[in-house]
Amino acid sequence: MKMVVAYIRHEAFEPIREDLLHLGFPSLSISEVKGSGRQKGITEHYRGASVTNYLRPKIKLECTVSDGDVQTIVDAILKHARTGNVGDGKIFVMPVEQSYRIRTGESGEETLQVHAESDA
Ligand SMILES: Nc1ncnc2c1ncn2[C@@H]1O[C@H](COP(=O)(O)OP(=O)(O)OP(=O)(O)O)[C@@H](O)[C@H]1O
Ligand SMILES: [Mg+2]
């Protein structure tokens, strides 16, 4: 199992969510975060004063899947999040030790996303 964590632009999330849903990956989390990349700050000018914002708002997307599904998730994110401009974001893939569905107490890969025999 792996958790795919992506820092993306807000506009990229909805098309990614739609693709993942249609591909059979409806289960994910997002949070609104602030971060910085290589460019560090962006300086804006307001009434003669220059203000540097070191943090930019991003969406943090987390989606945990079987190892064999990682590339599908990464490809969907790349497809919609890449504009070619700086600040498009980053994707990290992290190992996940275990998963539990709290309602049933089940564990393992079957709990991650939709499976044919499930009631989803
Ligand atoms: N190494 C990192 N660790 C944690 N978060 C990161 C890391 N790199 C980027 N991020 C997150 O991703 C967001 C977008 O990063 P960004 O796309 O600007 O990366 P970059 O390396 O500067 O690439 P680019 O040159 O394309 O802008 C950051 O604001 C931050 O939230
Ligand atoms: Mg950057």
Side-chain angles (χ1 to χ4, degrees):
M1 287 179 276
K2 297 279 194 293
M3 182 187 286
V4 180
V5 177
Y7 298 89
I8 58 174
R9 299 181 197 279
H10 282 62
E11 303 81 3
F13 172 67
E14 189 56 25
I16 291 169
R17 187 196 63 76
E18 281 179 22
D19 270 17
L20 293 182
L21 181 63
H22 292 130
L23 289 164
F25 304 97
S27 307
L28 52 79
S29 295
I30 65 166
S31 42
E32 298 195 282
V33 299
K34 290 183 177 178
S36 64
R38 293 191 298 181
Q39 289 76 24
K40 304 187 186 89
I42 289 184
T43 301
E44 292 168 345
H45 301 280
Y46 179 74
R47 293 186 176 171
S50 48
V51 180
T52 301
N53 293 314
Y54 292 96
L55 297 171
R56 308 296 301 166
K58 296 287 172 188
I59 293 286
K60 179 183 180 183
L61 166 65
E62 297 168 319
C63 185
T64 302
V65 295
S66 303
D67 288 15
D69 291 326
V70 168
Q71 197 60 52
T72 302
I73 306 303
V74 169
D75 287 346
I77 296 168
L78 289 174
K79 177 180 171 189
H80 295 291
R82 181 191 286 157
T83 69
N85 298 311
V86 298
D88 275 351
K90 286 273 179 70
I91 303 172
F92 300 101
V93 179
M94 292 179 275
V96 171
E97 289 286 332
Q98 189 53 284
S99 167
Y100 297 90
R101 175 173 286 120
I102 292 172
R103 176 174 58 88
T104 59
E106 300 164 90
S107 62
E109 296 195 340
E110 287 65 35
T111 67
L112 294 178
Q113 299 285 340
V114 176
H115 289 265
E117 69 278 12
S118 84
D119 56 358

